Amino acid sequence: MSEIKPFLPINYSCHFAEFRDGEQFAQTHSLGLVISGQMELNDGQKKTVFKKGELYSSRKNHLLKFVKHPPKNGEIKTLTIYFDDDILHEFGKEYGYKADKGEISLAYIKPKNKTLRAFMQSLLDYEDILNNKGDTKLIRLKQKEALLLLLKYDPTLKDVLFDFSEPYKMDLETFMNKNFHFNVKVERFAYLTGRSLAAFKRDFQKVFGKPPRQWLQERRLQEAHYLITQKGKSVSDFYLDLGFENLSHFSFAFKKQFGYAPTELTKTR
């Protein structure tokens, strides 16, 4: 999942094949419904599968991977509403919501609420919205309706949804060793650790003794070597999860790093 991108405030998506997005970073809060197939979300610590009829809600400023799995001989269909800062500021001012405290939020949750699910299903009747031709006022109204229902479902979400503070400065070594497998730009890592790009690169050099991109490549390849030799994994099982965009890129980088192809390791197991 490269980035969970809010291309549109309300996004109806359908794919016949397994689908992953590019950069694995959630820029906005969202609420979605799996209409058919299954969707898997992974924040690096836990992995959750969302089935047909289940709701998912991701949080902004989190690293997050997703994979959409179509049903046999069918499409994976999802419907997602995104909440950018503009709509949240507008909603907060209109309805008197603001965060009372900074809340360390989960990357995603699985709301279990019949009213929220019925609301999301009702959007399927708005053909213009699904075809990206919806009236702006109607779309804003639906975004606000979704927010009202979310806050009724869990009032504590106000401390997550209306917290507009920037990420705080955190321990770089701990963060990077936890999140090296996410395929995001160095600028994202800098932002999430509470640093400017220049400060991130400077601090990174002090901590790891090498530039970020070089360290990330080497760290991912070390993990790949471990998974093959110690865990008996096949390359096809994990190369995408380690942030490599395709198998040929991974194999080329692996051979350059270790002097032999990953297939040579699997032959000796």
Side-chain angles (χ1 to χ4, degrees), residues 44-110:
Q45 299 300 303
K46 68 173 182 176
K47 187 183 296 184
T48 304
V49 174
F50 296 80
K51 300 177 181 179
K52 177 181 177 179
E54 292 186 325
L55 298 167
Y56 56 90
S57 184
S58 65
R59 302 287 172 258
K60 75 172 183 178
N61 293 342
H62 278 280
L63 295 169
L64 186 62
K65 301 178 184 182
F66 76 79
V67 187
K68 295 182 176 183
H69 302 283
K72 187 176 181 179
N73 300 321
E75 295 174 289
I76 165 69
K77 298 179 182 179
T78 59
L79 179 65
T80 309
I81 301 181
Y82 295 100
F83 310 107
D84 59 24
D85 283 356
D86 287 343
I87 187 64
L88 290 170
H89 278 297
E90 182 182 320
F91 181 92
K93 184 177 180 180
E94 184 176 352
Y95 291 94
Y97 280 100
K98 64 178 181 178
D100 293 326
K101 57 180 179 179
E103 188 74 17
I104 299 176
S105 64
L106 299 172
Y108 63 88
I109 60 174
K110 181 187 280 191

Side-chain angles (χ1 to χ4, degrees), residues 19-34:
F19 178 76
R20 303 169 186 245
D21 203 353
E23 195 186 39
Q24 299 156 351
F25 174 72
Q27 295 185 70
T28 62
H29 299 292
S30 70
L31 171 67
L33 172 70
V34 178

Side-chain angles (χ1 to χ4, degrees), residues 7-267:
F7 292 109
L8 302 161
I10 299 177
N11 184 23
Y12 176 70
S13 171
C14 52
H15 301 273
F16 281 104
E18 180 182 292
F19 178 76
R20 303 169 186 245
D21 203 353
E23 195 186 39
Q24 299 156 351
F25 174 72
Q27 295 185 70
T28 62
H29 299 292
S30 70
L31 171 67
L33 172 70
V34 178
I35 301 165
S36 64
Q38 296 184 352
M39 185 170 75
E40 177 186 295
L41 290 181
N42 183 351
D43 65 0
Q45 299 300 303
K46 68 173 182 176
K47 187 183 296 184
T48 304
V49 174
F50 296 80
K51 300 177 181 179
K52 177 181 177 179
E54 292 186 325
L55 298 167
Y56 56 90
S57 184
S58 65
R59 302 287 172 258
K60 75 172 183 178
N61 293 342
H62 278 280
L63 295 169
L64 186 62
K65 301 178 184 182
F66 76 79
V67 187
K68 295 182 176 183
H69 302 283
K72 187 176 181 179
N73 300 321
E75 295 174 289
I76 165 69
K77 298 179 182 179
T78 59
L79 179 65
T80 309
I81 301 181
Y82 295 100
F83 310 107
D84 59 24
D85 283 356
D86 287 343
I87 187 64
L88 290 170
H89 278 297
E90 182 182 320
F91 181 92
K93 184 177 180 180
E94 184 176 352
Y95 291 94
Y97 280 100
K98 64 178 181 178
D100 293 326
K101 57 180 179 179
E103 188 74 17
I104 299 176
S105 64
L106 299 172
Y108 63 88
I109 60 174
K110 181 187 280 191
K112 296 181 179 180
N113 181 269
K114 291 181 179 179
T115 305
L116 267 173
R117 185 166 60 248
F119 166 75
M120 293 298 292
Q121 289 173 333
S122 73
L123 293 177
L124 296 174
D125 294 328
Y126 289 84
E127 188 173 341
D128 284 348
I129 287 179
L130 300 185
N131 293 326
N132 309 321
K133 299 176 182 178
D135 177 82
T136 301
K137 290 182 179 179
L138 175 61
I139 290 173
R140 294 304 253 189
L141 183 64
K142 291 301 177 182
Q143 285 177 295
K144 291 178 181 180
E145 190 175 350
L147 286 169
L148 286 170
L149 291 173
L150 266 174
L151 290 162
K152 183 177 180 180
Y153 161 71
D154 184 357
T156 65
L157 287 175
K158 69 179 177 59
D159 290 325
V160 175
L161 294 170
F162 303 100
D163 178 8
F164 302 107
S165 60
E166 298 290 311
Y168 63 91
K169 192 172 183 178
M170 61 178 65
D171 181 75
L172 194 59
E173 185 173 12
T174 300
F175 181 87
M176 293 306 300
N177 278 312
K178 176 183 175 184
N179 296 296
F180 66 88
H181 48 83
F182 282 97
N183 183 23
V184 298
K185 299 176 183 177
V186 172
E187 289 83 355
R188 296 293 192 206
F189 284 126
Y191 175 75
L192 290 171
T193 58
R195 292 166 170 84
S196 67
L197 181 59
F200 177 79
K201 290 181 177 179
R202 183 176 62 248
D203 291 351
F204 200 99
Q205 188 72 35
K206 289 178 182 178
V207 172
F208 296 104
K210 56 189 67 174
R213 288 186 177 85
Q214 180 184 343
W215 181 87
L216 284 165
Q217 179 94 316
E218 292 176 359
R219 181 67 181 84
R220 290 165 180 167
L221 291 169
Q222 288 168 4
E223 183 69 10
H225 195 282
Y226 168 78
L227 290 172
I228 295 171
T229 58
Q230 303 300 315
K231 295 295 185 180
K233 298 285 187 179
S234 298
V235 173
S236 58
D237 292 337
F238 64 74
Y239 77 93
L240 288 170
D241 290 332
L242 282 183
F244 292 94
E245 294 184 358
N246 55 64
L247 190 54
S248 60
H249 174 220
F250 166 77
S251 298
F252 176 82
F254 190 97
K255 187 171 184 178
K256 185 177 180 181
Q257 172 82 2
F258 297 108
Y260 45 83
T263 51
E264 294 181 42
L265 285 178
T266 58
K267 291 177 182 177

